[in-house]
């Protein structure tokens, strides 16, 4: 199964690098007996930033920060030695327990050797080194570049060793590739949570900076073997980095210069992250859409920090098309729910409840924008403020009529679908201890099923003053979109082609109708079948094992057939669109309906 990775690994090691040392590495001469070490330690403030702030800002891990600092350091160090290359090839060592190589295996408590070592190619082409070391935007671009390179490695790199050493055909294909001259291993933070005041902390052991004794006759691990570990001190965590090298290849001054470059690069990343625009998403953070880094950066410049970017659901695409097509005309898909409340409404508490509601359900923060290649996207900012209008009509001669006019204006006011959020709140004080609370949203965000779910959460959050622990964990609308993108489009098309086969025209109920005459105005006719007939329909449906909806659609089909003189009719229908395969789908908030 790992053979599918062969091209990736072959491309990884296809690198033409000049020797880092004064000559090429010779395993017979450059043994552990010749190895010396230069040690450095990052300041606590820089260490804490690399361990926490940088990974959080870039939606990444500590490895992304450390490897970015290393790639910048090596590239700048080589440039100082006359090498203008921008590709760094290194071996990365990992604990190997985070792999899915054996499905279902949990290696966390298993004793054995699982270490993985694999080559990693980091290409900093286009990164302005001077700007990066000055903590400018190039520093952030470097982190994003390294993050994407790491994300491209299949299954944490476990396949490389299998292909390189255990299969003769693939071994022959990979053998001509370059051997990384640099090795990197981050040992983590082994003393975290331990009693560091004890007389015998288990790591690091004095005198064994490289993790243990090595055979002096064994070939050195690399031209530069870098081991890093975070050690907790009374002043805070400190990253200790050891640069080990064969003395026949490099002198101490050169390796010391490299360690200084690493410190400078790490410090630059720590300074860069203080910039308010620092951080952001990368393409692998957005598996449901295909955006490159420039696309993402453009969206972040427009909307600020983003939580995610999603595709639109089918009906969202249709509603958005109609909303944009209407132009300045009234938008038929603006929905307003008005609650007539008794008692005191605490507006600050209501604001907090709405803010928490949007934190729990990111899709309520979505804005919708077009992409020239990928159609419509829903962009979810990390934070948006809900527009609040508070009005008082108690001084008006007819407070209720004045409130109704105000809310009618609110309902007719269009949303800019490209600006989040597509919902707003209006509170109107109409009488002592009486308020009208209007929740106005675009149909793009919510369907009818979602409304009582949303309302319940809002009222609970209001009543408890924001205690989210009384609510169940929210189910993300993103899980529905993920399920949706996995559907077999070809099979769906085939099913509908079969169902609609032989229909040569739509069922025209009003063939003389001209849409331009109605100017978008519609009217409703309500028909009440009464309790007796409704009860009979329920009984008939139950007796025949169908739903009432089946009977209603059958009746509607018979009416259309009689009115049009056709025996083959077609009409649209709305479905809930909530797949029962998704756990908790009945409590999700969003637009699931389809037609």
């Amino acid at each position: 199964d790992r053979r599918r990775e062969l091209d990736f690994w072959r491309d990884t090691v296809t690198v033409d690098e000049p020797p880092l040392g004064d000559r090429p590495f010779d395993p017979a001469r450059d043994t552990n007996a010749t190895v010396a070490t230069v040690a450095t330690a990052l300041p606590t403030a820089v260490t804490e930033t690399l361990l926490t702030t940088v990974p959080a800002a870039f939606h990444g891990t500590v490895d992304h920060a450390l490897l970015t600092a290393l790639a910048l350091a090596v590239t700048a160090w080589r440039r100082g030695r006359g090498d203008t290359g921008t590709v760094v090839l290194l071996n990365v060592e990992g604990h190997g327990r985070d792999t899915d190589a054996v499905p279902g295996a949990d290696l966390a408590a298993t004793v054995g050797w699982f270490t993985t070592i694999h080559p990693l190619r980091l290409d900093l082409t286009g990164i302005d080194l001077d700007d990066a070391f000055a903590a400018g935007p190039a520093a952030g671009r470097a982190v994003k570049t390294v993050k994407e390179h790491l994300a491209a490695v299949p299954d944490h790199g476990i396949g490389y060793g299998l292909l390189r050493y255990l299969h003769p055909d693939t071994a022959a294909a990979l053998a001509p590739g370059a051997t990384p001259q640099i090795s990197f291993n981050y040992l983590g933070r082994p003393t975290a949570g331990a009693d560091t005041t004890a007389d015998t902390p288990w790591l690091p052991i004095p005198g064994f900076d490289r993790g243990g004794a090595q055979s002096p006759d064994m070939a050195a691990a690399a031209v530069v073997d870098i081991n890093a570990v975070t050690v907790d001190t009374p002043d805070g965590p400190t990253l200790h980095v050891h640069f080990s090298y064969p003395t026949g290849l490099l002198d101490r001054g050169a390796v010391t210069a490299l360690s200084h470059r690493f410190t400078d690069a790490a410090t630059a990343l720590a300074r860069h992250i203080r910039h308010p625009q620092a951080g952001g998403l990368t393409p692998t953070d957005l598996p449901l859409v295909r955006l490159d880094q420039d696309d993402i950066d453009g969206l972040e410049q427009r909307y600020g920090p983003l939580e995610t970017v999603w595709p639109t659901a089918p009906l969202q695409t249709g509603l958005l098309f109609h909303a944009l097509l209407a132009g300045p005309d009234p938008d038929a898909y603006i929905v307003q729910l008005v609650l007539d409340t008794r008692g005191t409404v605490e507006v600050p508490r209501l604001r907090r409840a709405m803010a928490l509601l949007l934190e729990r359900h990111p899709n309520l923060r979505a804005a919708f924008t077009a992409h020239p290649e990928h159609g419509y996207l829903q962009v979810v900012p990390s934070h948006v403020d809900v527009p609040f209008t508070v009005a008082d009509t108690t001084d008006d001669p007819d407070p209720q009529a004045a409130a109704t006019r105000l809310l009618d204006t609110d309902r007719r006011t269009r949303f800019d679908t490209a600006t989040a959020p597509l919902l707003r709140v209006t509170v109107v004080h109409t009488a002592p201890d009486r308020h009208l609370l209007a929740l106005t949203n675009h149909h793009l965000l919510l369907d009818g099923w979602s409304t009582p779910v949303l309302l319940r959460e809002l009222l609970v959050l209001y009543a408890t003053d924001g205690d989210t622990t009384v609510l169940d964990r929210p189910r993300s609308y993103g899980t529905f979109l993920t399920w949706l993108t996995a559907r077999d489009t070809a099979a769906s098309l085939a099913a509908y082609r079969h169902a609609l086969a032989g229909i040569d025209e739509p069922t025209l109920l009003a063939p003389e109708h001209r849409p331009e005459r109605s100017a978008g105005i519609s009217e409703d006719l309500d028909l009440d079948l009464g309790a007796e007939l409704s009860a009979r329909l329920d009984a008939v449906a139950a007796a025949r094992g169908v739903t009432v909806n089946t009977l209603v659609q059958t009746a509607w089909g018979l009416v259309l057939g009689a009115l049009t003189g056709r025996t083959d009719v077609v009409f649209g229908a709305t479905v809930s669109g909530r797949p029962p395969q998704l756990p908790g789908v009945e409590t999700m908030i969003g637009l699931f309906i389809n037609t």
Side-chain angles (χ1 to χ4, degrees), residues 164-187:
R164 176 65 181 86
Y165 301 107
L166 298 185
H167 194 289
D169 292 343
T170 57
L174 292 174
T179 299
Q181 301 179 75
I182 300 173
S183 177
F184 177 80
N185 184 17
Y186 176 55
L187 298 170

